[in-house]
C-alpha cells in the first residue's frame, strides 16, 4: 500500500498544475523565510499538495473541479485537522493572479501554530 502512495505522489508531482508549480517555486528550498515545505506528501490516507511539517501546516490548491466536491474537501480538511494540522485552501486562480497575497496568508498561518489535536481539558492546563 505504501508503494502505491509513493507512485501516486510521483504522478502528482509530474502532473502539477500551473498554480501548483508557481506556488512551489516560491516555497521550495526554504525560500519562504526558511520554512521547509514538501509537495505531494502523504499524511494519513491522503496525499496533500503542500505541507510544512515543522509548523503542522497543509496548503491545498483547488481548481474548478473542486467546486463539485466541496463536501469531500470539507471532510478531508476535518480529518487532517484531527491529525493536528492546520489546513489552508486557495483557488488556483488566486495563486496565479495574487501569489504575494497567498504567501502573506501562508506566513500568517506559519506564525500561529496548529492547535493540538487532543488538547487538555481546561482545568488540567499549566
Amino acid at each position: 500500500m505504501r508503494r502505491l502512495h509513493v507512485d501516486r505522489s510521483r504522478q502528482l508531482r509530474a502532473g502539477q498544475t500551473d498554480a501548483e508549480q508557481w506556488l512551489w517555486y516560491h516555497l521550495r528550498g526554504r525560500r519562504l523565510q526558511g520554512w521547509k515545505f514538501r509537495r505531494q506528501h502523504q499524511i494519513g490516507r491522503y496525499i496533500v499538495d503542500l505541507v510544512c511539517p515543522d509548523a503542522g501546516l497543509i496548503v491545498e490548491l483547488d481548481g474548478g473541479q473542486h467546486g463539485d466536491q466541496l463536501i469531500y474537501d470539507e471532510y478531508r480538511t476535518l480529518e487532517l485537522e484531527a491529525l493536528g494540522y492546520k489546513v489552508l485552501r486557495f483557488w488556483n486562480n488566486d495563486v496565479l493572479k495574487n501569489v504575494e497575497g497567498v504567501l502573506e496568508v501562508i506566513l500568517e498561518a506559519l506564525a500561529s501554530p496548529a492547535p493540538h489535536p487532543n488538547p487538555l481539558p481546561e482545568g488540567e492546563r499549566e
Side-chain angles (χ1 to χ4, degrees), residues 62-121:
D62 299 336
Q65 80 279 6
H66 285 269
D68 297 332
Q69 62 184 49
L70 294 175
I71 293 171
Y72 169 79
D73 286 345
E74 187 175 317
Y75 180 75
R76 176 183 162 113
T77 295
L78 289 173
E79 279 196 29
L80 292 166
E81 288 173 344
L83 293 173
Y85 290 89
K86 184 176 194 173
V87 179
L88 296 179
R89 289 188 168 277
F90 298 99
W91 292 104
N92 286 348
N93 203 34
D94 292 335
V95 173
L96 294 172
K97 291 187 174 188
N98 184 19
V99 74
E100 294 302 322
V102 168
L103 293 171
E104 187 175 315
V105 172
I106 292 171
L107 277 172
E108 288 173 12
L110 289 167
S112 60
H116 192 281
N118 300 309
L120 291 172

Side-chain angles (χ1 to χ4, degrees), residues 2 4-21 23-24 27 37-53 57-62 65-66 76 92:
R2 174 83 176 129
L4 180 64
H5 284 290
V6 170
D7 291 343
R8 181 69 179 134
S9 293
R10 283 188 185 135
Q11 271 182 335
L12 290 169
R13 282 192 296 269
Q16 282 187 303
T17 65
D18 290 344
E20 289 171 331
Q21 288 176 19
L23 187 57
W24 179 240
L27 298 177
F37 281 84
R38 294 181 180 168
R39 63 186 172 137
Q40 304 305 336
H41 186 74
Q42 182 183 350
I43 298 176
R45 63 189 189 119
Y46 300 108
I47 297 174
V48 300
D49 292 333
L50 299 157
V51 62
C52 177
L57 178 67
I58 293 171
V59 178
E60 293 280 88
L61 300 181
D62 299 336
Q65 80 279 6
H66 285 269
R76 176 183 162 113
N92 286 348

